[in-house]
Amino acid sequence: QKEVEQDPGPLSVPEGAIVSLNCTYSNSAFQYFMWYRQYSRKGPELLMYTYSSGNKEDGRFTAQVDKSSKYISLFIRDSQPSDSATYLCATVVLGQKLVFGQGTRLTINP
Amino acid sequence: DGGITQSPKYLFRKEGQNVTLSCEQNLNHDAMYWYRQDPGQGLRLIYYSQIVNDFQKGDIAEGYSVSREKKESFPLTVTSAQKNPTAFYLCASSLSGQGALEQYFGPGTRLTVT
């Protein structure tokens, strides 16, 4: 079983919609969860990370962790065409390295 | 400007040749990482280094080698032993105190081997 699993999509939504991106993880000992955004042919950039469970909000982006179901989510409100990118979830393993999900390709249609 | 540079952006090689990818950072970060990205597979860790003159294998180190002689530089050599070298290679760095938490990525090098 992979440590982090993510539906690769693609996901296409109209501008202004609320987007929900999701990952599952395998080990209940994982504590830190990250979301990265990657534009085509570029390196990923860190959007936010959360510790343990609960929500974290940054502008239009909200990250949520549900430890009981080992489920992590990223919500994007009022989505914009500039949000079109691949979104990668990740978790820290053994305190030293990141393990990534496969990434979900998102397109916001004007 | 502070950041991570990777060169070249595109690299083409013939099968059987070794090739070295460059990664330089001026963020004064202690830790540096190399990842490989293939379509539909996310990022996979090749090697990482937390201090100069020390590095550890990641999940897919076979066919690759690295060195860390300077804090700013972490070159990756793709050897002829790597069976499927064509991929997008990403270098990252982070402050030692942050560990793996806040990694900053370079723009990547797309390697094509034919």
Side-chain angles (χ1 to χ4, degrees), chain A residues 2-3 8 32 34 36 38 41-46 49 86 88 92 95-103, chain B residues 9-10 33 35 37 40-43 45 48 50 56 59 88 90 98-103 105-107 110:
Chain A
K2 289 186 178 179
E3 288 147 317
Y32 289 94
M34 290 79 176
Y36 281 82
Q38 184 178 24
R41 298 189 180 89
K42 304 286 187 186
E45 56 178 322
L46 179 65
Y49 67 86
T86 295
L88 298 145
V92 179
Q96 295 182 40
K97 55 181 187 175
L98 287 181
V99 173
F100 286 83
Q102 298 94 315
Chain B
K9 190 170 182 179
Y10 299 96
Y33 309 81
Y35 294 90
Q37 188 173 31
Q41 293 199 43
L43 277 68
L45 183 64
Y48 62 105
Q50 294 181 310
Q56 289 79 40
D59 300 317
F88 188 44
L90 288 156
Q98 294 291 330
L101 285 181
E102 293 193 28
Q103 292 188 20
F105 283 83
R110 190 166 298 275

Side-chain angles (χ1 to χ4, degrees), chain A residues 25-73:
Chain A
Y25 61 94
S26 61
N27 191 331
S28 58
F30 295 156
Q31 299 269 36
Y32 289 94
F33 304 94
M34 290 79 176
W35 284 98
Y36 281 82
R37 177 176 62 196
Q38 184 178 24
Y39 291 113
S40 183
R41 298 189 180 89
K42 304 286 187 186
E45 56 178 322
L46 179 65
L47 286 174
M48 61 176 69
Y49 67 86
T50 55
Y51 173 73
S52 194
S53 62
N55 291 1
K56 186 172 184 179
E57 190 173 316
D58 184 0
R60 296 183 295 109
F61 297 86
T62 300
Q64 189 175 81
V65 178
D66 182 347
K67 295 211 84 176
S68 62
S69 57
K70 297 205 266 298
Y71 204 76
I72 56 177
S73 302

Side-chain angles (χ1 to χ4, degrees), chain B residues 12-57:
Chain B
F12 298 88
R13 280 293 184 271
K14 294 289 187 187
E15 203 172 305
Q17 293 179 334
N18 291 356
V19 59
T20 298
L21 281 60
S22 166
C23 177
E24 304 275 334
Q25 54 97 2
N26 60 5
L27 299 167
N28 200 33
H29 286 173
D30 293 295
M32 297 186 75
Y33 309 81
W34 273 106
Y35 294 90
R36 169 186 173 134
Q37 188 173 31
D38 296 281
Q41 293 199 43
L43 277 68
R44 292 182 290 167
L45 183 64
I46 304 172
Y47 269 97
Y48 62 105
S49 166
Q50 294 181 310
I51 56 171
V52 173
N53 292 322
D54 188 43
F55 47 83
Q56 289 79 40
K57 292 182 179 180

